[in-house]
Amino acid sequence: DGGITQSPKYLFRKEGQNVTLSCEQNLNHDAMYWYRQDPGQGLRLIYYSQIVNDFQKGDIAEGYSVSREKKESFPLTVTSAQKNPTAFYLCASSGLEGSAGYTFGSGTRLTVV
Amino acid sequence: GQNIDQPTEMTATEGAIVQINCTYQTSGFNGLFWYQQHAGEAPTFLSYNVLDGLEEKGRFSSFLSRSKGYSYLLLKELQMKDSASYLCAPMDSNYQLIWGAGTKLIIKP
């Protein structure tokens, strides 16, 4: 079955360390997105990519980096420059015109210890 | 700018009907989506409206008025499992979904 997979589900990081969150999809979707969600808040866009080897900053890109070397994969690195990284991270994908909406992965909960 | 306005929280009784309203402003418009999100989980697709009017899907219906920048989600025969957040998300001219904070729906027995 087609879908989008995020791993790991839970992640603990020490302050000052970089950490990479995985996102893989086999839906043949062109566009992929990374969101951050804090308790009781909406989704905030970190980065998005509409084509391989190209990506754009979202509203809160500072302290994060991404790559899109393959259509199926869009990993997110949370760097030590991100001052408050503890959050729920969601990856999503869609066709370019998006009329079918977004398909979401199950999310990664990152905690800084 | 782009803006979504939904009530923060609503409470309803099991078996009843509830309507969650959403007003929006976007740069261009390519339809409006409603998603359901249970606590600690990813959002899941509920409905999509691109033309004015009502779309019905089982216990859930969604309405759109493009001229008023207004949509609502109607949930009938409420069940305890419907306790969740409901996210109204219009799609802008770049085919990107714009997200508000959502409405937390609490169902009481």
PDB file of all heavy atoms in Angstrom, chain B residues 70-106:
ATOM      1  N   TYR B  70     -16.232  31.543   3.742  1.00  0.00           N
ATOM      2  CA  TYR B  70     -16.835  30.858   4.895  1.00  0.00           C
ATOM      3  C   TYR B  70     -17.068  29.393   4.584  1.00  0.00           C
ATOM      4  O   TYR B  70     -17.482  29.023   3.471  1.00  0.00           O
ATOM      5  CB  TYR B  70     -18.165  31.546   5.216  1.00  0.00           C
ATOM      6  CG  TYR B  70     -19.046  30.804   6.189  1.00  0.00           C
ATOM      7  CD1 TYR B  70     -18.717  30.700   7.536  1.00  0.00           C
ATOM      8  CD2 TYR B  70     -20.235  30.219   5.750  1.00  0.00           C
ATOM      9  CE1 TYR B  70     -19.537  30.032   8.424  1.00  0.00           C
ATOM     10  CE2 TYR B  70     -21.063  29.537   6.638  1.00  0.00           C
ATOM     11  CZ  TYR B  70     -20.710  29.463   7.964  1.00  0.00           C
ATOM     12  OH  TYR B  70     -21.525  28.787   8.846  1.00  0.00           O
ATOM     13  N   SER B  71     -16.799  28.570   5.579  1.00  0.00           N
ATOM     14  CA  SER B  71     -17.067  27.144   5.480  1.00  0.00           C
ATOM     15  C   SER B  71     -17.533  26.646   6.834  1.00  0.00           C
ATOM     16  O   SER B  71     -17.258  27.265   7.866  1.00  0.00           O
ATOM     17  CB  SER B  71     -15.796  26.392   5.061  1.00  0.00           C
ATOM     18  OG  SER B  71     -15.988  24.991   5.066  1.00  0.00           O
ATOM     19  N   TYR B  72     -18.260  25.553   6.834  1.00  0.00           N
ATOM     20  CA  TYR B  72     -18.541  24.873   8.095  1.00  0.00           C
ATOM     21  C   TYR B  72     -18.472  23.375   7.907  1.00  0.00           C
ATOM     22  O   TYR B  72     -18.665  22.853   6.816  1.00  0.00           O
ATOM     23  CB  TYR B  72     -19.873  25.305   8.719  1.00  0.00           C
ATOM     24  CG  TYR B  72     -21.133  24.877   7.990  1.00  0.00           C
ATOM     25  CD1 TYR B  72     -21.583  23.555   7.991  1.00  0.00           C
ATOM     26  CD2 TYR B  72     -21.914  25.836   7.335  1.00  0.00           C
ATOM     27  CE1 TYR B  72     -22.750  23.186   7.335  1.00  0.00           C
ATOM     28  CE2 TYR B  72     -23.086  25.477   6.681  1.00  0.00           C
ATOM     29  CZ  TYR B  72     -23.494  24.162   6.679  1.00  0.00           C
ATOM     30  OH  TYR B  72     -24.649  23.794   6.029  1.00  0.00           O
ATOM     31  N   LEU B  73     -18.175  22.698   9.005  1.00  0.00           N
ATOM     32  CA  LEU B  73     -18.184  21.242   9.077  1.00  0.00           C
ATOM     33  C   LEU B  73     -19.311  20.843  10.017  1.00  0.00           C
ATOM     34  O   LEU B  73     -19.394  21.349  11.140  1.00  0.00           O
ATOM     35  CB  LEU B  73     -16.848  20.722   9.609  1.00  0.00           C
ATOM     36  CG  LEU B  73     -16.700  19.204   9.722  1.00  0.00           C
ATOM     37  CD1 LEU B  73     -16.636  18.580   8.330  1.00  0.00           C
ATOM     38  CD2 LEU B  73     -15.442  18.854  10.525  1.00  0.00           C
ATOM     39  N   LEU B  74     -20.198  19.988   9.544  1.00  0.00           N
ATOM     40  CA  LEU B  74     -21.349  19.542  10.335  1.00  0.00           C
ATOM     41  C   LEU B  74     -21.153  18.072  10.690  1.00  0.00           C
ATOM     42  O   LEU B  74     -20.952  17.236   9.800  1.00  0.00           O
ATOM     43  CB  LEU B  74     -22.631  19.729   9.529  1.00  0.00           C
ATOM     44  CG  LEU B  74     -23.942  19.538  10.267  1.00  0.00           C
ATOM     45  CD1 LEU B  74     -24.173  20.715  11.216  1.00  0.00           C
ATOM     46  CD2 LEU B  74     -25.113  19.437   9.279  1.00  0.00           C
ATOM     47  N   LEU B  75     -21.197  17.787  11.961  1.00  0.00           N
ATOM     48  CA  LEU B  75     -21.039  16.412  12.428  1.00  0.00           C
ATOM     49  C   LEU B  75     -22.354  15.974  13.076  1.00  0.00           C
ATOM     50  O   LEU B  75     -22.841  16.602  14.023  1.00  0.00           O
ATOM     51  CB  LEU B  75     -19.919  16.296  13.454  1.00  0.00           C
ATOM     52  CG  LEU B  75     -18.478  16.522  12.989  1.00  0.00           C
ATOM     53  CD1 LEU B  75     -18.168  18.005  12.815  1.00  0.00           C
ATOM     54  CD2 LEU B  75     -17.499  15.903  13.972  1.00  0.00           C
ATOM     55  N   LYS B  76     -22.922  14.896  12.581  1.00  0.00           N
ATOM     56  CA  LYS B  76     -24.195  14.384  13.101  1.00  0.00           C
ATOM     57  C   LYS B  76     -23.969  13.124  13.930  1.00  0.00           C
ATOM     58  O   LYS B  76     -22.928  12.465  13.801  1.00  0.00           O
ATOM     59  CB  LYS B  76     -25.133  14.053  11.938  1.00  0.00           C
ATOM     60  CG  LYS B  76     -25.422  15.199  10.994  1.00  0.00           C
ATOM     61  CD  LYS B  76     -26.286  14.729   9.822  1.00  0.00           C
ATOM     62  CE  LYS B  76     -26.469  15.830   8.803  1.00  0.00           C
ATOM     63  NZ  LYS B  76     -27.204  15.349   7.605  1.00  0.00           N
ATOM     64  N   GLU B  77     -24.970  12.814  14.752  1.00  0.00           N
ATOM     65  CA  GLU B  77     -24.928  11.564  15.546  1.00  0.00           C
ATOM     66  C   GLU B  77     -23.569  11.386  16.219  1.00  0.00           C
ATOM     67  O   GLU B  77     -22.891  10.378  16.037  1.00  0.00           O
ATOM     68  CB  GLU B  77     -25.247  10.362  14.658  1.00  0.00           C
ATOM     69  CG  GLU B  77     -26.588  10.452  13.976  1.00  0.00           C
ATOM     70  CD  GLU B  77     -26.777   9.369  12.901  1.00  0.00           C
ATOM     71  OE1 GLU B  77     -25.986   8.401  12.882  1.00  0.00           O
ATOM     72  OE2 GLU B  77     -27.690   9.515  12.085  1.00  0.00           O
ATOM     73  N   LEU B  78     -23.192  12.403  16.957  1.00  0.00           N
ATOM     74  CA  LEU B  78     -21.862  12.435  17.548  1.00  0.00           C
ATOM     75  C   LEU B  78     -21.547  11.196  18.372  1.00  0.00           C
ATOM     76  O   LEU B  78     -22.395  10.705  19.126  1.00  0.00           O
ATOM     77  CB  LEU B  78     -21.697  13.683  18.407  1.00  0.00           C
ATOM     78  CG  LEU B  78     -21.549  14.995  17.644  1.00  0.00           C
ATOM     79  CD1 LEU B  78     -21.655  16.175  18.593  1.00  0.00           C
ATOM     80  CD2 LEU B  78     -20.237  15.016  16.884  1.00  0.00           C
ATOM     81  N   GLN B  79     -20.310  10.731  18.220  1.00  0.00           N
ATOM     82  CA  GLN B  79     -19.810   9.593  18.977  1.00  0.00           C
ATOM     83  C   GLN B  79     -18.605  10.049  19.789  1.00  0.00           C
ATOM     84  O   GLN B  79     -17.949  11.038  19.452  1.00  0.00           O
ATOM     85  CB  GLN B  79     -19.419   8.459  18.019  1.00  0.00           C
ATOM     86  CG  GLN B  79     -20.559   8.003  17.135  1.00  0.00           C
ATOM     87  CD  GLN B  79     -20.132   6.966  16.100  1.00  0.00           C
ATOM     88  OE1 GLN B  79     -19.007   6.461  16.131  1.00  0.00           O
ATOM     89  NE2 GLN B  79     -21.037   6.637  15.183  1.00  0.00           N
ATOM     90  N   MET B  80     -18.304   9.309  20.833  1.00  0.00           N
ATOM     91  CA  MET B  80     -17.190   9.697  21.704  1.00  0.00           C
ATOM     92  C   MET B  80     -15.885   9.776  20.912  1.00  0.00           C
ATOM     93  O   MET B  80     -15.043  10.628  21.171  1.00  0.00           O
ATOM     94  CB  MET B  80     -17.054   8.719  22.871  1.00  0.00           C
ATOM     95  CG  MET B  80     -18.253   8.695  23.814  1.00  0.00           C
ATOM     96  SD  MET B  80     -18.644  10.313  24.512  1.00  0.00           S
ATOM     97  CE  MET B  80     -17.209  10.578  25.535  1.00  0.00           C
ATOM     98  N   LYS B  81     -15.742   8.911  19.906  1.00  0.00           N
ATOM     99  CA  LYS B  81     -14.512   8.901  19.102  1.00  0.00           C
ATOM    100  C   LYS B  81     -14.349  10.158  18.246  1.00  0.00           C
ATOM    101  O   LYS B  81     -13.285  10.375  17.657  1.00  0.00           O
ATOM    102  CB  LYS B  81     -14.473   7.667  18.203  1.00  0.00           C
ATOM    103  CG  LYS B  81     -15.525   7.675  17.104  1.00  0.00           C
ATOM    104  CD  LYS B  81     -15.395   6.443  16.219  1.00  0.00           C
ATOM    105  CE  LYS B  81     -16.427   6.455  15.097  1.00  0.00           C
ATOM    106  NZ  LYS B  81     -16.309   5.257  14.232  1.00  0.00           N
ATOM    107  N   ASP B  82     -15.408  10.967  18.157  1.00  0.00           N
ATOM    108  CA  ASP B  82     -15.314  12.227  17.405  1.00  0.00           C
ATOM    109  C   ASP B  82     -14.594  13.315  18.203  1.00  0.00           C
ATOM    110  O   ASP B  82     -14.334  14.405  17.668  1.00  0.00           O
ATOM    111  CB  ASP B  82     -16.706  12.727  17.007  1.00  0.00           C
ATOM    112  CG  ASP B  82     -17.433  11.763  16.080  1.00  0.00           C
ATOM    113  OD1 ASP B  82     -16.755  11.053  15.310  1.00  0.00           O
ATOM    114  OD2 ASP B  82     -18.681  11.714  16.140  1.00  0.00           O
ATOM    115  N   SER B  83     -14.284  13.041  19.457  1.00  0.00           N
ATOM    116  CA  SER B  83     -13.498  13.995  20.244  1.00  0.00           C
ATOM    117  C   SER B  83     -12.116  14.127  19.615  1.00  0.00           C
ATOM    118  O   SER B  83     -11.339  13.157  19.574  1.00  0.00           O
ATOM    119  CB  SER B  83     -13.354  13.507  21.694  1.00  0.00           C
ATOM    120  OG  SER B  83     -14.583  13.546  22.377  1.00  0.00           O
ATOM    121  N   ALA B  84     -11.820  15.310  19.106  1.00  0.00           N
ATOM    122  CA  ALA B  84     -10.589  15.537  18.344  1.00  0.00           C
ATOM    123  C   ALA B  84     -10.519  17.016  18.017  1.00  0.00           C
ATOM    124  O   ALA B  84     -11.435  17.776  18.327  1.00  0.00           O
ATOM    125  CB  ALA B  84     -10.595  14.725  17.052  1.00  0.00           C
ATOM    126  N   SER B  85      -9.434  17.410  17.365  1.00  0.00           N
ATOM    127  CA  SER B  85      -9.359  18.762  16.800  1.00  0.00           C
ATOM    128  C   SER B  85      -9.732  18.702  15.332  1.00  0.00           C
ATOM    129  O   SER B  85      -9.403  17.727  14.637  1.00  0.00           O
ATOM    130  CB  SER B  85      -7.942  19.330  16.955  1.00  0.00           C
ATOM    131  OG  SER B  85      -7.673  19.636  18.297  1.00  0.00           O
ATOM    132  N   TYR B  86     -10.429  19.736  14.870  1.00  0.00           N
ATOM    133  CA  TYR B  86     -10.865  19.806  13.482  1.00  0.00           C
ATOM    134  C   TYR B  86     -10.221  21.028  12.835  1.00  0.00           C
ATOM    135  O   TYR B  86     -10.355  22.151  13.322  1.00  0.00           O
ATOM    136  CB  TYR B  86     -12.397  19.843  13.415  1.00  0.00           C
ATOM    137  CG  TYR B  86     -12.960  18.513  13.837  1.00  0.00           C
ATOM    138  CD1 TYR B  86     -13.197  18.240  15.188  1.00  0.00           C
ATOM    139  CD2 TYR B  86     -13.202  17.498  12.910  1.00  0.00           C
ATOM    140  CE1 TYR B  86     -13.664  17.000  15.597  1.00  0.00           C
ATOM    141  CE2 TYR B  86     -13.669  16.263  13.312  1.00  0.00           C
ATOM    142  CZ  TYR B  86     -13.897  16.019  14.655  1.00  0.00           C
ATOM    143  OH  TYR B  86     -14.350  14.786  15.052  1.00  0.00           O
ATOM    144  N   LEU B  87      -9.487  20.763  11.759  1.00  0.00           N
ATOM    145  CA  LEU B  87      -8.665  21.782  11.123  1.00  0.00           C
ATOM    146  C   LEU B  87      -9.283  22.194   9.790  1.00  0.00           C
ATOM    147  O   LEU B  87      -9.503  21.355   8.915  1.00  0.00           O
ATOM    148  CB  LEU B  87      -7.254  21.245  10.877  1.00  0.00           C
ATOM    149  CG  LEU B  87      -6.571  20.542  12.048  1.00  0.00           C
ATOM    150  CD1 LEU B  87      -5.192  20.038  11.632  1.00  0.00           C
ATOM    151  CD2 LEU B  87      -6.454  21.457  13.245  1.00  0.00           C
ATOM    152  N   CYS B  88      -9.530  23.480   9.667  1.00  0.00           N
ATOM    153  CA  CYS B  88     -10.004  24.069   8.411  1.00  0.00           C
ATOM    154  C   CYS B  88      -8.769  24.553   7.662  1.00  0.00           C
ATOM    155  O   CYS B  88      -7.942  25.287   8.236  1.00  0.00           O
ATOM    156  CB  CYS B  88     -10.933  25.235   8.750  1.00  0.00           C
ATOM    157  SG  CYS B  88     -11.340  26.330   7.390  1.00  0.00           S
ATOM    158  N   ALA B  89      -8.624  24.147   6.394  1.00  0.00           N
ATOM    159  CA  ALA B  89      -7.395  24.480   5.670  1.00  0.00           C
ATOM    160  C   ALA B  89      -7.712  24.846   4.225  1.00  0.00           C
ATOM    161  O   ALA B  89      -7.853  23.961   3.374  1.00  0.00           O
ATOM    162  CB  ALA B  89      -6.416  23.302   5.733  1.00  0.00           C
ATOM    163  N   PRO B  90      -7.821  26.141   3.915  1.00  0.00           N
ATOM    164  CA  PRO B  90      -7.972  26.534   2.520  1.00  0.00           C
ATOM    165  C   PRO B  90      -6.659  26.377   1.759  1.00  0.00           C
ATOM    166  O   PRO B  90      -5.581  26.460   2.351  1.00  0.00           O
ATOM    167  CB  PRO B  90      -8.385  28.009   2.614  1.00  0.00           C
ATOM    168  CG  PRO B  90      -7.843  28.468   3.928  1.00  0.00           C
ATOM    169  CD  PRO B  90      -7.848  27.282   4.830  1.00  0.00           C
ATOM    170  N   MET B  91      -6.774  26.180   0.454  1.00  0.00           N
ATOM    171  CA  MET B  91      -5.597  26.032  -0.395  1.00  0.00           C
ATOM    172  C   MET B  91      -5.413  27.318  -1.198  1.00  0.00           C
ATOM    173  O   MET B  91      -6.354  27.779  -1.857  1.00  0.00           O
ATOM    174  CB  MET B  91      -5.767  24.823  -1.311  1.00  0.00           C
ATOM    175  CG  MET B  91      -4.587  24.548  -2.218  1.00  0.00           C
ATOM    176  SD  MET B  91      -4.691  22.925  -3.010  1.00  0.00           S
ATOM    177  CE  MET B  91      -4.036  21.888  -1.719  1.00  0.00           C
ATOM    178  N   ASP B  92      -4.203  27.873  -1.160  1.00  0.00           N
ATOM    179  CA  ASP B  92      -3.985  29.165  -1.818  1.00  0.00           C
ATOM    180  C   ASP B  92      -3.624  28.994  -3.289  1.00  0.00           C
ATOM    181  O   ASP B  92      -3.687  27.903  -3.841  1.00  0.00           O
ATOM    182  CB  ASP B  92      -2.929  29.990  -1.050  1.00  0.00           C
ATOM    183  CG  ASP B  92      -1.522  29.423  -1.159  1.00  0.00           C
ATOM    184  OD1 ASP B  92      -1.286  28.512  -1.984  1.00  0.00           O
ATOM    185  OD2 ASP B  92      -0.645  29.889  -0.418  1.00  0.00           O
ATOM    186  N   SER B  93      -3.239  30.082  -3.928  1.00  0.00           N
ATOM    187  CA  SER B  93      -2.982  30.068  -5.371  1.00  0.00           C
ATOM    188  C   SER B  93      -1.767  29.216  -5.739  1.00  0.00           C
ATOM    189  O   SER B  93      -1.621  28.810  -6.886  1.00  0.00           O
ATOM    190  CB  SER B  93      -2.780  31.492  -5.887  1.00  0.00           C
ATOM    191  OG  SER B  93      -1.728  32.120  -5.170  1.00  0.00           O
ATOM    192  N   ASN B  94      -0.895  28.932  -4.763  1.00  0.00           N
ATOM    193  CA  ASN B  94       0.281  28.082  -4.992  1.00  0.00           C
ATOM    194  C   ASN B  94       0.012  26.620  -4.627  1.00  0.00           C
ATOM    195  O   ASN B  94       0.946  25.824  -4.516  1.00  0.00           O
ATOM    196  CB  ASN B  94       1.469  28.588  -4.178  1.00  0.00           C
ATOM    197  CG  ASN B  94       1.955  29.945  -4.654  1.00  0.00           C
ATOM    198  OD1 ASN B  94       2.011  30.211  -5.849  1.00  0.00           O
ATOM    199  ND2 ASN B  94       2.278  30.811  -3.715  1.00  0.00           N
ATOM    200  N   TYR B  95      -1.259  26.300  -4.403  1.00  0.00           N
ATOM    201  CA  TYR B  95      -1.671  24.937  -4.027  1.00  0.00           C
ATOM    202  C   TYR B  95      -1.084  24.519  -2.693  1.00  0.00           C
ATOM    203  O   TYR B  95      -0.810  23.340  -2.467  1.00  0.00           O
ATOM    204  CB  TYR B  95      -1.328  23.924  -5.133  1.00  0.00           C
ATOM    205  CG  TYR B  95      -2.066  24.204  -6.413  1.00  0.00           C
ATOM    206  CD1 TYR B  95      -1.456  24.889  -7.453  1.00  0.00           C
ATOM    207  CD2 TYR B  95      -3.382  23.800  -6.569  1.00  0.00           C
ATOM    208  CE1 TYR B  95      -2.150  25.163  -8.619  1.00  0.00           C
ATOM    209  CE2 TYR B  95      -4.082  24.062  -7.739  1.00  0.00           C
ATOM    210  CZ  TYR B  95      -3.457  24.746  -8.754  1.00  0.00           C
ATOM    211  OH  TYR B  95      -4.145  25.023  -9.909  1.00  0.00           O
ATOM    212  N   GLN B  96      -0.887  25.489  -1.814  1.00  0.00           N
ATOM    213  CA  GLN B  96      -0.427  25.177  -0.470  1.00  0.00           C
ATOM    214  C   GLN B  96      -1.574  25.344   0.503  1.00  0.00           C
ATOM    215  O   GLN B  96      -2.362  26.304   0.409  1.00  0.00           O
ATOM    216  CB  GLN B  96       0.727  26.081  -0.073  1.00  0.00           C
ATOM    217  CG  GLN B  96       1.970  25.822  -0.892  1.00  0.00           C
ATOM    218  CD  GLN B  96       3.227  26.165  -0.140  1.00  0.00           C
ATOM    219  OE1 GLN B  96       3.212  26.392   1.062  1.00  0.00           O
ATOM    220  NE2 GLN B  96       4.331  26.208  -0.847  1.00  0.00           N
ATOM    221  N   LEU B  97      -1.653  24.421   1.466  1.00  0.00           N
ATOM    222  CA  LEU B  97      -2.693  24.511   2.489  1.00  0.00           C
ATOM    223  C   LEU B  97      -2.267  25.513   3.553  1.00  0.00           C
ATOM    224  O   LEU B  97      -1.116  25.527   3.987  1.00  0.00           O
ATOM    225  CB  LEU B  97      -2.941  23.145   3.118  1.00  0.00           C
ATOM    226  CG  LEU B  97      -3.632  22.122   2.224  1.00  0.00           C
ATOM    227  CD1 LEU B  97      -3.812  20.803   2.964  1.00  0.00           C
ATOM    228  CD2 LEU B  97      -4.981  22.644   1.764  1.00  0.00           C
ATOM    229  N   ILE B  98      -3.222  26.338   3.943  1.00  0.00           N
ATOM    230  CA  ILE B  98      -3.006  27.331   4.996  1.00  0.00           C
ATOM    231  C   ILE B  98      -3.724  26.812   6.244  1.00  0.00           C
ATOM    232  O   ILE B  98      -4.920  26.516   6.189  1.00  0.00           O
ATOM    233  CB  ILE B  98      -3.557  28.701   4.602  1.00  0.00           C
ATOM    234  CG1 ILE B  98      -3.045  29.106   3.213  1.00  0.00           C
ATOM    235  CG2 ILE B  98      -3.200  29.745   5.648  1.00  0.00           C
ATOM    236  CD1 ILE B  98      -1.543  29.150   3.075  1.00  0.00           C
ATOM    237  N   TRP B  99      -2.990  26.710   7.353  1.00  0.00           N
ATOM    238  CA  TRP B  99      -3.534  26.056   8.545  1.00  0.00           C
ATOM    239  C   TRP B  99      -3.821  27.060   9.664  1.00  0.00           C
ATOM    240  O   TRP B  99      -2.989  27.905   9.977  1.00  0.00           O
ATOM    241  CB  TRP B  99      -2.541  25.020   9.073  1.00  0.00           C
ATOM    242  CG  TRP B  99      -2.196  23.964   8.084  1.00  0.00           C
ATOM    243  CD1 TRP B  99      -1.171  23.991   7.193  1.00  0.00           C
ATOM    244  CD2 TRP B  99      -2.894  22.745   7.870  1.00  0.00           C
ATOM    245  NE1 TRP B  99      -1.195  22.839   6.436  1.00  0.00           N
ATOM    246  CE2 TRP B  99      -2.233  22.058   6.828  1.00  0.00           C
ATOM    247  CE3 TRP B  99      -4.019  22.147   8.462  1.00  0.00           C
ATOM    248  CZ2 TRP B  99      -2.655  20.813   6.365  1.00  0.00           C
ATOM    249  CZ3 TRP B  99      -4.434  20.913   8.001  1.00  0.00           C
ATOM    250  CH2 TRP B  99      -3.755  20.261   6.965  1.00  0.00           C
ATOM    251  N   GLY B 100      -4.997  26.943  10.260  1.00  0.00           N
ATOM    252  CA  GLY B 100      -5.287  27.655  11.489  1.00  0.00           C
ATOM    253  C   GLY B 100      -4.958  26.757  12.664  1.00  0.00           C
ATOM    254  O   GLY B 100      -4.406  25.668  12.505  1.00  0.00           O
ATOM    255  N   ALA B 101      -5.333  27.194  13.864  1.00  0.00           N
ATOM    256  CA  ALA B 101      -5.036  26.435  15.075  1.00  0.00           C
ATOM    257  C   ALA B 101      -6.009  25.279  15.291  1.00  0.00           C
ATOM    258  O   ALA B 101      -5.756  24.404  16.117  1.00  0.00           O
ATOM    259  CB  ALA B 101      -5.042  27.354  16.284  1.00  0.00           C
ATOM    260  N   GLY B 102      -7.137  25.293  14.550  1.00  0.00           N
ATOM    261  CA  GLY B 102      -8.099  24.207  14.694  1.00  0.00           C
ATOM    262  C   GLY B 102      -9.080  24.414  15.832  1.00  0.00           C
ATOM    263  O   GLY B 102      -8.907  25.309  16.677  1.00  0.00           O
ATOM    264  N   THR B 103     -10.126  23.610  15.827  1.00  0.00           N
ATOM    265  CA  THR B 103     -11.155  23.639  16.868  1.00  0.00           C
ATOM    266  C   THR B 103     -11.116  22.320  17.629  1.00  0.00           C
ATOM    267  O   THR B 103     -11.289  21.259  17.031  1.00  0.00           O
ATOM    268  CB  THR B 103     -12.555  23.826  16.257  1.00  0.00           C
ATOM    269  OG1 THR B 103     -12.608  25.077  15.579  1.00  0.00           O
ATOM    270  CG2 THR B 103     -13.629  23.754  17.330  1.00  0.00           C
ATOM    271  N   LYS B 104     -10.905  22.404  18.936  1.00  0.00           N
ATOM    272  CA  LYS B 104     -10.920  21.206  19.765  1.00  0.00           C
ATOM    273  C   LYS B 104     -12.361  20.897  20.139  1.00  0.00           C
ATOM    274  O   LYS B 104     -13.037  21.725  20.768  1.00  0.00           O
ATOM    275  CB  LYS B 104     -10.085  21.419  21.024  1.00  0.00           C
ATOM    276  CG  LYS B 104     -10.004  20.185  21.907  1.00  0.00           C
ATOM    277  CD  LYS B 104      -9.105  20.439  23.110  1.00  0.00           C
ATOM    278  CE  LYS B 104      -9.018  19.200  23.995  1.00  0.00           C
ATOM    279  NZ  LYS B 104      -8.151  19.442  25.176  1.00  0.00           N
ATOM    280  N   LEU B 105     -12.839  19.735  19.731  1.00  0.00           N
ATOM    281  CA  LEU B 105     -14.218  19.323  20.008  1.00  0.00           C
ATOM    282  C   LEU B 105     -14.222  18.303  21.133  1.00  0.00           C
ATOM    283  O   LEU B 105     -13.560  17.258  21.047  1.00  0.00           O
ATOM    284  CB  LEU B 105     -14.853  18.726  18.755  1.00  0.00           C
ATOM    285  CG  LEU B 105     -16.282  18.207  18.903  1.00  0.00           C
ATOM    286  CD1 LEU B 105     -17.230  19.345  19.272  1.00  0.00           C
ATOM    287  CD2 LEU B 105     -16.745  17.514  17.626  1.00  0.00           C
ATOM    288  N   ILE B 106     -14.968  18.611  22.182  1.00  0.00           N
ATOM    289  CA  ILE B 106     -15.095  17.711  23.332  1.00  0.00           C
ATOM    290  C   ILE B 106     -16.498  17.134  23.325  1.00  0.00           C
ATOM    291  O   ILE B 106     -17.490  17.889  23.276  1.00  0.00           O
ATOM    292  CB  ILE B 106     -14.835  18.481  24.639  1.00  0.00           C
ATOM    293  CG1 ILE B 106     -13.419  19.046  24.632  1.00  0.00           C
ATOM    294  CG2 ILE B 106     -15.057  17.579  25.853  1.00  0.00           C
ATOM    295  CD1 ILE B 106     -13.146  20.058  25.732  1.00  0.00           C
TER     296      ILE B 106
END
